[in-house]
Amino acid sequence: MTGEHRTARGTGASTRVLGTSPDDMAAAARLLRAGRLVAFPTETVYGIGADATDAAAIASLYAAKGRPRFNPLIAHVLDIDAARRIGLLDATALMLAERFWPGPLTLVVEARPDTVVSDLARAGLPSVAIRVPSHPLARALLAQAGRPVAAPSANRSGHVSATTAAHVLADLDGLVDAVVNGGPAQLGVESSIVGLLGERPVLLRPGAITCEQLDSALGFAVSGPAARKNDRPDAPGQLASHYAPWAAVRLDAVEVHPGEALLAFGPDLPAGAAHATAVRNLSPAGDLREAAATLFSALRELDAARPRTVAVMPIPAEGIGLAIRDRLARAAAPRR
Ligand code: TXA
Ligand code: MG
């Protein structure tokens, strides 16, 4: 797709598909600095980048995604020093940052009073979500942009996240100015989000850093969002319906009903699998990392076959399996 121009559905606008050459990366950074929207790969999923300090750019980002403005964005920066210029990192935050950055961990901390991250990007909250990605293209873009970059997952709001440039175009062609095509995102599920606003760290979103990893760094078990007392989500991505394909999703299926497609996991398929209208196996070997990496493309592929329902085999609730189960539970939740 490198260098090609694509035209959006009927809008006349076009999303430029950029490659990974120095010229293309410089062009991507120029667009960002000019307040435009540039989708790019991270080690988790593709993000739609916008200058986090530019309220107008952030407004256009919310509009492109169809995202409610009460749902704040993650500010992506290059390193701990850059993180400390926008948020207040206490001892726990610093410890987690040193342990897991660069990498798929997002920390929600109190914003610095003089933070350059726009109010709109933070949805008016006194806090800021910060992530230091490890993907070399994301890092090259951040280095050249020279400012924090807000980057939500590159899908229409509420839809399945994007792990390839083709997924980005399927959702957002004509709605973002460019996409950097850096091949498939490696991990396949989003960063883990840890809230550090109270006495104890709270896992706001399970993700690519496992609870086991967090617990061993902290020296105690991190509490999950279920332990929160209020209904108001701290991470609105925690709203029930999210990651939704068009088809209905039926979890922990031990048999396939007539007319259903099958999202399988592991070598042993359930009864009725031979009659499934379509089948994708997240990992025939039963490997959870592989399953995470294939989750969103498998959901998109099954959806393309337009089944009424996708039956999903049980996924073990351990390691990155918790993040997979979380995304599937949201895909299965009643739609807004
Ligand atoms: O892996 C990732 O984190 C990807 C890549 C592109 O970096 N980004 C991503 O962004 O997943 P998004 O916008 O799809 O999800 C960000 C989540 C949302 O659920 C949002 O509510 C939460 O982070 N969030 C952002 N700022 C927050 C804040 N100040 N307090 C609590 N939650 C926050
Ligand atoms: Mg998202």
Side-chain angles (χ1 to χ4, degrees), residues 59-94:
S60 70
L61 173 51
Y62 279 106
K65 252 192 90 102
R67 176 167 175 135
R69 287 192 179 195
F70 62 75
N71 192 357
L73 306 168
I74 298 172
H76 295 64
V77 294
L78 260 187
D79 53 30
I80 294 182
D81 284 346
R84 297 184 87 165
R85 288 196 286 273
I86 58 175
L88 299 170
L89 275 64
D90 64 10
T92 307
L94 277 175

Side-chain angles (χ1 to χ4, degrees), residues 1-2 4 6 9 15-18 39-41 45-47 154-156 159-174 176 178-185 296-297 300-301:
M1 290 194 285
T2 304
E4 181 186 327
R6 298 182 46 123
R9 317 173 195 99
T15 292
R16 233 175 120 184
V17 179
L18 295 168
F40 61 94
V45 298
Y46 274 66
N155 50 278
R156 293 277 297 164
H159 192 217
V160 177
S161 302
T163 53
T164 67
H167 294 164
V168 176
L169 291 171
D171 271 31
L172 296 163
D173 196 1
V176 297
V179 55
V180 175
N181 182 9
F296 290 129
S297 45
R300 283 174 181 263
E301 284 164 18

Side-chain angles (χ1 to χ4, degrees), residues 38-54:
V38 178
F40 61 94
T42 80
E43 69 277 22
T44 57
V45 298
Y46 274 66
I48 314 174
D51 179 347
T53 70
D54 178 342

Side-chain angles (χ1 to χ4, degrees), residues 80 90-101 105 107 194-196 201 213-215 217-218:
I80 294 182
D90 64 10
T92 307
L94 277 175
M95 186 273 290
L96 292 174
E98 266 153 22
R99 179 81 176 256
F100 296 110
W101 284 353
L105 177 68
L107 298 177
V194 173
L196 295 169
Q213 286 176 288
L214 290 170
D215 292 354
L218 289 165

Side-chain angles (χ1 to χ4, degrees), residues 6-320:
R6 298 182 46 123
T7 305
R9 317 173 195 99
T11 64
S14 68
T15 292
R16 233 175 120 184
V17 179
L18 295 168
T20 61
S21 69
D23 280 357
D24 278 7
M25 294 304 290
R30 263 198 312 277
L31 284 167
L32 276 180
R33 285 198 305 267
R36 313 303 287 266
L37 305 181
V38 178
F40 61 94
T42 80
E43 69 277 22
T44 57
V45 298
Y46 274 66
I48 314 174
D51 179 347
T53 70
D54 178 342
I58 298 302
S60 70
L61 173 51
Y62 279 106
K65 252 192 90 102
R67 176 167 175 135
R69 287 192 179 195
F70 62 75
N71 192 357
L73 306 168
I74 298 172
H76 295 64
V77 294
L78 260 187
D79 53 30
I80 294 182
D81 284 346
R84 297 184 87 165
R85 288 196 286 273
I86 58 175
L88 299 170
L89 275 64
D90 64 10
T92 307
L94 277 175
M95 186 273 290
L96 292 174
E98 266 153 22
R99 179 81 176 256
F100 296 110
W101 284 353
L105 177 68
T106 295
L107 298 177
V108 174
V109 300
E110 197 183 320
R112 277 179 66 107
D114 60 350
T115 191
V116 292
V117 176
S118 74
D119 259 19
L120 194 55
R122 293 182 290 114
L125 296 173
S127 57
V128 61
I130 312 178
R131 162 156 143 71
V132 173
S134 64
H135 194 294
L137 292 173
R139 297 187 62 77
L141 206 52
L142 287 173
Q144 291 186 51
R147 64 201 67 185
V149 171
S153 52
N155 50 278
R156 293 277 297 164
S157 183
H159 192 217
V160 177
S161 302
T163 53
T164 67
H167 294 164
V168 176
L169 291 171
D171 271 31
L172 296 163
D173 196 1
L175 296 171
V176 297
D177 297 288
V179 55
V180 175
N181 182 9
Q186 211 193 332
L187 296 171
V189 292
E190 297 88 342
S191 61
S192 305
I193 305 181
V194 173
L196 295 169
L197 301 173
E199 265 167 44
R200 309 266 288 182
V202 177
L203 182 66
L204 298 175
R205 177 176 74 182
I209 298 286
T210 65
C211 287
E212 293 86 340
Q213 286 176 288
L214 290 170
D215 292 354
S216 95
L218 289 165
F220 55 84
V222 65
S223 54
R228 284 178 295 136
K229 289 170 220 75
N230 55 354
D231 281 345
R232 240 193 104 73
D234 292 327
Q238 302 298 326
L239 290 171
S241 174
H242 213 83
Y243 308 100
W246 297 109
V249 174
R250 189 167 68 82
L251 298 178
D252 293 320
V254 291
E255 58 180 11
V256 181
H257 300 156
E260 287 184 332
L262 173 64
L263 187 60
F265 175 76
D268 305 315
L269 299 191
H275 305 295
T277 57
V279 181
R280 285 290 177 282
N281 198 327
L282 291 175
S283 171
D287 179 79
L288 285 171
R289 290 267 157 201
E290 183 186 16
T294 40
L295 175 66
F296 290 129
S297 45
L299 277 174
R300 283 174 181 263
E301 284 164 18
L302 285 182
D303 223 21
R306 286 279 178 267
R308 258 181 304 118
T309 304
V310 176
V312 182
M313 284 175 66
I315 309 289
E318 64 193 35
I320 204 167

